[in-house]
Amino acid sequence: VLAWASLRGNKQLPDAVEVLKIGRAGRTNAYRLWGLGPGGEGVIVKCASAQALELERWIYQEVLPSLALPSLHCYGFVEAGSTAWLFLEDADQRSMIPPADRQPTALAQWLGKLHISSAGMSVGSRLSDRGPGHYLDHLQDSQTLIGSNLAHPAFNSEDRRLAEQILLDLAGIEARWASIEEICRDSPSTLVHGDLAARNLRFRLKDGPRAVLPFGWEIAGWGVPAVD
């Protein structure tokens, strides 16, 4: 609340503070300040280290506006010592998810515009690699972690059979990884969100055409469109 007051130049108190997420040590916490946004709406606050929030700040304030795509409004960014706050429009109050049969079209159109328009931007050097190699590393790390825990005393026989089947599936994918890289080789590299789960999507249904409003850009990177 104090960080918001320093950003906006007033000391209005919120109607309430809602805890949305408490991250593990060193991760991002998220809150909603009820009643402090334009028209009495809420404000979403993400709190973490400045380093942890810098990527999202940059995407909201500099990248998305240059792409002429609908996006959540970023009210600002405040640093104080080792802590920083990122203030965002509250999508939940101005948006809703449309019927499932109409959702894929709007999302596909938004993604097409995102990937095409950002492919020509010189932002790749500031983003983490999200090419096939990044996901191969995840696959191999998963194999190592699961394999090292097969003898864990918390596993019963059914758990162990499931883990062994997962390892077989991962090995099968790894054996065909060259074909995945071949498919991706001719795709343009572009800005990818990297975590387009339902929890990170809202659709604004008023004030003109349906607008897709993804958020949660913490793991965005530079990779092939297939990532999204």
Side-chain angles (χ1 to χ4, degrees):
V1 172
L2 292 174
W4 174 256
S6 71
L7 178 69
R8 306 296 285 189
N10 65 60
K11 296 184 179 180
Q12 178 186 352
L13 293 177
D15 298 331
V17 177
E18 179 182 357
V19 177
L20 300 178
K21 182 182 75 171
I22 299 297
R24 297 189 297 272
R27 302 294 292 274
T28 302
N29 298 335
Y31 309 90
R32 176 181 285 114
L33 304 181
W34 286 98
L36 293 188
E41 299 157 358
V43 173
I44 300 300
V45 188
K46 303 190 80 170
C47 177
S49 68
Q51 181 179 7
L53 293 176
E54 172 57 25
L55 174 64
E56 279 199 282
R57 182 212 64 76
W58 176 63
I59 288 177
Y60 281 118
Q61 291 189 326
E62 300 181 40
V63 177
L64 294 178
S66 70
L67 298 179
L69 285 171
S71 61
L72 294 176
H73 181 68
C74 178
Y75 297 120
F77 183 73
V78 174
E79 290 185 60
S82 61
T83 305
W85 293 265
L86 181 66
F87 297 94
L88 301 169
E89 173 188 351
D90 186 358
D92 281 336
Q93 293 193 34
R94 305 182 68 178
S95 321
M96 61 177 290
I97 294 181
D101 61 337
R102 299 170 67 183
Q103 180 177 329
T105 299
L107 180 56
Q109 291 172 341
W110 186 92
L111 276 175
K113 292 177 181 176
L114 171 72
H115 293 150
I116 290 171
S117 57
S118 61
M121 298 178 68
S122 57
V123 298
S125 61
R126 291 191 61 173
L127 293 164
S128 298
D129 173 49
R130 293 292 181 263
H134 170 78
Y135 294 95
L136 179 60
D137 288 343
H138 272 296
L139 184 150
Q140 293 171 336
D141 288 345
S142 298
Q143 289 173 309
T144 299
L145 182 62
I146 295 171
S148 66
N149 280 282
L150 284 177
H152 196 286
F155 276 16
N156 59 34
S157 58
E158 184 177 348
D159 297 332
R160 198 164 288 108
R161 280 195 298 270
L162 175 59
E164 289 170 346
Q165 183 59 54
I166 292 172
L167 285 175
L168 287 173
D169 292 341
L170 293 177
I173 295 171
E174 185 179 23
R176 297 191 296 274
W177 199 261
S179 64
I180 295 174
E181 292 182 335
E182 181 65 28
I183 292 169
C184 294
R185 189 166 292 125
D186 294 330
S187 296
S189 292
T190 184
L191 171 66
V192 291
H193 182 283
D195 191 19
L196 279 178
R199 65 181 180 276
N200 288 330
L201 284 171
R202 296 294 182 271
F203 294 77
R204 181 174 292 152
L205 301 182
K206 65 177 184 177
D207 302 329
R210 181 179 292 107
V212 182
L213 301 172
F215 52 96
W217 292 84
E218 295 98 326
I219 63 170
W222 191 251
V224 295
V227 171
D228 288 337

